[in-house]
Amino acid sequence: MHIHTIQKFQPAMGKIIDQDLLLLPGSALLKRIIEDEDPQAFVRRLSAEDLFWIVKRIGEDDCLPVLELAHEEQWQYLIDLDIWQKDRLSPEKTLAWLKRLGEADPERLSNWLFGEERNFLSFLLFSAAEVVVKNQEEEGLDLPETYFTVDGVFYVRALSDENQEMIEALLTTLAQNNNEGYHRLLYGLAAIIPAEAEEELYRLRNGRIAEHGFVPFEEALSVYAPLDLDALKTETPPLPPGKLVDKTNNEFVPALPLLQLEKEGIFRHTVSHISDPLVFERISVEFADLANHIIAAGNFPEISDPDILKASCRQATGYLNIALERLSRNDIPAAEAILRSHSLLTLFRAGYGLAVDLQREAKRWQQKSWFFSQGWKNEFWGSPWEEMLDGLLATRPLFYDGEAAAIPYREFKSGSDLDETRKQLQRIQTLDRMLSRLSLTESDTHLKQLHKTFHSVLFNRWAHKLLENKPSFEPLPQNEAARFFLVLRREETAPPYRMAAFKELFISDFIEGAADFAPNETDALREALNQVWENFCCEYEAVRTEDLEGRFSPFLLISP
């Protein structure tokens, strides 16, 4: 089954939505929904997750036809995700949503608010408005023009001018549809204890969204509990697909989270080949739940931004890719068997655990490294190794994608990301070990302040050797620096100066000091020196010898 083709499976307990529909732009999506043979039945079978992102795609102020078709539980999910800022209710966002729902179906909104959402409505009005009751004997009561009334008894003023129009529209709708309920509501506002009321509403809301994976922050953090691959051998198999979706309602399973997958990656390719609708259904539900777990673990003040969903889906996919690549050796049938027998949450933790293993290796090495013992920090390794280490050693390991990338630091998304980071780490480790054998003496303490990166430690030492000076890390005088480059460029007359004749000499001179390295370490050191040389050539290839200046020379210290 291919994710981006129209497929409609209809197993006994649920239905997989026409996924191409969800990829339509907002206006076309709305048109397709309205033109469905039974638009209300279609919308009401949508998972709450998909309806939420459909509303976002169409636009909150353009989606009134969809809101009119949705049932109250779907309304609840929409506002649960959008109106809370951490543990505080946002009156502005709440009123905006109730205004939309009132425009979509005023009678049903009134019944819903006066029924099961009465406490929610009472707290909202208590928080957003001031209410004055005008008794018959108070006919002369003089109130400012900012107060309005819809019945001549209750006079209301919004506590924020921006909310005045929305509160008036909401109360007008409520009074028109249930005047008796409207009076009881406003009379009861005086009995509200705000702190207790908000805390209870927040507790109820958290219980509802927890069913969709938005568990409390402390619980959500368990998604980042690393899991060894061997632990998968004892995992209890996932629940049968029929346990995940209500059989009686024939509801759609969440589809939009899976549609956020990038085109490449073994998880996407494996899912696209699954032909069993029950297995596909379980994965769809679990993936939506996993993405929401990741959002909850991010402790976002708001969780309704579509970009947050996309980022959480990318992160989920990345670590699922890593686990599946390692376990299946990139074999699609083997990967499908793994998906059938393990939950996505467990596989995510196993993939994340591989990144954490590499992070731990880097931390252990850093603490014992030569550069760290000399008082240098990660910047000693220069770009891009400095950034690679910073990302890997972050609270949660990150992959450094290069300064040209739109997002330089991102989550690991494949085994190749881990392999590339491990390769660069090994290169740094061998360089560090080799440099420790050249090490600066106590008398060279002042030089530690001059050498900002390992480049100058390496090249100043080598330059003195090439010029047949005594071994030293000292800066080169201007004339000696010029002589050094004249030697390197003696076979070249004009830029770009590639200095290719000296590449192997540079590498072999330092390899000599690593004669006892294991073969894989020697290979890593050679690769590191080759990379350093290429960067050195790129830095100086267009610089004429007479234009050399110490302040613009990152690889070589030059004294005035």
Side-chain angles (χ1 to χ4, degrees):
M1 169 185 173
H2 296 280
I3 288 180
H4 292 292
T5 60
I6 298 177
Q7 298 286 344
K8 289 189 177 181
F9 290 117
Q10 191 161 2
M13 75 297 297
K15 187 176 181 182
I16 296 173
I17 194 172
D18 176 342
Q19 296 167 346
D20 274 4
L21 182 148
L22 298 179
L23 298 175
L24 293 173
S27 58
L29 176 57
L30 178 60
K31 185 174 184 291
R32 284 279 297 276
I33 291 173
I34 293 173
E35 292 177 352
D36 190 86
E37 58 186 17
D38 189 348
Q40 183 179 76
F42 173 82
V43 169
R44 293 192 175 194
R45 288 201 307 272
L46 286 169
S47 69
E49 293 89 346
D50 283 350
L51 179 65
F52 181 85
W53 297 111
I54 283 174
V55 166
K56 291 290 183 179
R57 184 182 287 271
I58 293 173
E60 294 164 352
D61 294 326
D62 297 323
C63 69
L64 299 188
V66 175
L67 296 179
E68 182 179 0
L69 296 169
H71 56 65
E72 288 84 346
E73 288 184 8
Q74 291 172 317
W75 286 0
Q76 185 76 71
Y77 184 81
L78 290 174
I79 65 175
D80 274 343
L81 259 60
D82 225 18
I83 66 176
W84 289 88
Q85 294 175 307
K86 291 201 171 180
D87 59 349
R88 303 303 300 274
L89 188 75
S90 167
E92 293 77 15
K93 289 191 173 185
T94 306
L95 288 166
W97 268 110
L98 295 183
K99 178 176 181 290
R100 295 180 194 112
L101 294 174
E103 293 172 353
D105 194 331
E107 182 177 355
R108 192 149 56 98
L109 175 66
S110 298
N111 293 337
W112 185 52
L113 292 177
F114 282 134
E116 57 190 274
E117 294 304 310
R118 183 181 184 84
N119 292 339
F120 164 73
L121 177 61
S122 297
F123 176 75
L124 170 65
L125 292 176
F126 183 92
S127 304
E130 179 185 0
V131 179
V132 175
V133 183
K134 184 176 181 181
N135 299 318
Q136 290 182 347
E137 61 271 16
E138 295 178 324
E139 290 185 4
L141 183 62
D142 188 20
L143 292 173
E145 293 181 357
T146 52
Y147 284 82
F148 68 89
T149 181
V150 297
D151 63 353
V153 177
F154 293 98
Y155 287 78
V156 183
R157 178 183 66 86
L159 298 181
S160 169
D161 292 342
E162 295 177 356
N163 295 335
Q164 182 83 3
E165 183 180 344
M166 289 188 290
I167 289 177
E168 185 169 356
L170 173 63
L171 293 183
T172 299
T173 297
L174 295 175
Q176 288 174 348
N177 285 279
N178 188 338
N179 192 58
E180 183 180 347
Y182 173 74
H183 282 191
R184 286 200 305 270
L185 170 71
L186 295 189
Y187 273 126
L189 295 183
I192 290 178
I193 302 175
E196 293 182 5
E198 187 170 36
E199 182 178 350
E200 176 63 10
L201 290 172
Y202 186 61
R203 183 188 68 80
L204 293 172
R205 174 260 193 176
N206 286 347
R208 290 190 296 267
I209 66 173
E211 297 177 3
H212 299 270
F214 292 108
V215 295
F217 173 65
E218 292 76 12
E219 182 180 343
L221 285 176
S222 65
V223 76
Y224 292 114
L227 196 64
D228 191 272
L229 291 178
D230 289 338
L232 297 178
K233 299 175 183 178
T234 59
E235 184 192 11
T236 303
L239 288 171
K243 299 288 187 181
L244 298 173
V245 179
D246 184 355
K247 294 182 181 181
T248 60
N249 293 332
N250 194 32
E251 293 179 348
F252 290 119
V253 298
L256 267 171
L258 274 180
L259 293 180
Q260 308 302 319
L261 301 187
E262 296 182 357
K263 294 182 179 180
E264 300 302 322
I266 190 171
F267 177 63
R268 180 192 184 281
H269 288 312
T270 304
V271 170
S272 72
H273 282 82
I274 292 175
S275 58
D276 185 337
L278 299 183
V279 175
F280 185 86
E281 177 185 295
R282 176 181 66 79
I283 290 173
S284 297
V285 173
E286 283 192 13
F287 189 78
D289 188 76
L290 175 59
N292 290 345
H293 259 76
I294 292 170
I295 293 174
N299 201 23
F300 293 102
E302 301 177 45
I303 56 178
S304 61
D305 184 347
D307 288 337
I308 294 174
L309 172 73
K310 293 177 183 177
S312 69
C313 290
R314 284 195 299 268
Q315 185 180 150
T317 305
Y319 288 116
L320 290 172
N321 283 336
I322 290 170
L324 288 174
E325 287 174 19
R326 179 64 62 88
L327 291 166
S328 72
R329 301 183 184 275
N330 286 310
D331 180 72
I332 296 296
E336 181 175 343
I338 292 166
L339 288 177
R340 286 174 177 270
S341 57
H342 298 287
S343 70
L344 296 192
L345 176 59
T346 301
L347 290 171
F348 176 90
R349 290 175 56 199
Y352 179 71
L354 292 173
V356 171
D357 287 344
L358 183 58
Q359 180 192 58
R360 289 170 177 166
E361 177 188 336
K363 286 181 177 180
R364 288 193 297 268
W365 164 75
Q366 184 194 52
Q367 295 302 314
K368 297 186 296 184
S369 64
W370 169 76
F371 89 95
F372 198 73
S373 70
Q374 299 298 305
W376 279 302
K377 304 299 181 184
N378 289 344
E379 56 263 29
F380 177 72
W381 296 106
S383 185
W385 285 338
E386 173 192 351
E387 293 85 355
M388 182 276 291
L389 282 175
D390 285 345
L392 184 57
L393 297 174
T395 303
R396 287 202 286 268
L398 295 171
F399 177 75
Y400 178 64
D401 208 13
E403 62 180 2
I407 305 176
Y409 291 99
R410 59 167 173 78
E411 304 290 340
F412 288 89
K413 65 180 183 181
S414 66
S416 61
D417 282 350
L418 278 179
D419 292 342
E420 176 62 25
T421 302
R422 180 177 287 105
K423 180 172 65 176
Q424 297 300 337
L425 178 63
Q426 289 171 343
R427 291 177 180 180
I428 297 174
Q429 289 171 328
T430 56
L431 270 176
D432 182 82
R433 185 177 170 194
M434 185 270 295
L435 286 170
S436 70
R437 299 182 174 186
L438 307 176
S439 66
L440 300 167
T441 64
E442 291 299 322
S443 63
D444 292 324
T445 302
H446 70 288
L447 293 177
K448 295 177 185 177
Q449 306 302 317
L450 296 178
H451 292 283
K452 303 302 182 184
T453 71
F454 81 96
H455 299 101
S456 56
V457 175
L458 208 61
F459 278 95
N460 276 78
R461 173 82 177 204
W462 189 62
H464 280 292
K465 178 181 179 180
L466 194 66
L467 297 174
E468 299 182 347
N469 299 333
K470 68 176 182 178
S472 175
F473 298 98
E474 291 284 349
L476 286 171
Q478 187 79 32
N479 63 325
E480 285 289 276
R483 188 162 70 93
F484 171 60
F485 277 96
L486 286 172
V487 170
L488 295 180
R489 298 167 173 176
R490 63 189 178 194
E491 296 181 2
E492 300 172 281
T493 59
Y497 301 105
R498 297 307 300 163
M499 304 172 277
F502 285 85
K503 176 179 178 178
E504 282 305 316
L505 178 62
F506 170 78
I507 293 174
S508 61
D509 277 353
F510 288 108
I511 290 287
E512 286 178 4
D516 59 336
F517 280 22
N520 65 313
E521 293 177 314
T522 302
D523 289 343
L525 178 59
R526 177 175 292 278
E527 290 166 0
L529 292 168
N530 181 74
Q531 185 174 336
V532 170
W533 178 262
E534 293 301 322
N535 292 340
F536 170 77
C537 291
C538 288
E539 182 68 34
Y540 292 95
E541 66 180 1
V543 180
R544 296 183 302 174
T545 303
E546 57 270 28
D547 292 335
L548 286 168
E549 284 192 51
R551 57 180 176 162
F552 300 126
S553 179
F555 281 65
L556 191 73
L557 289 185
I558 302 174
S559 59

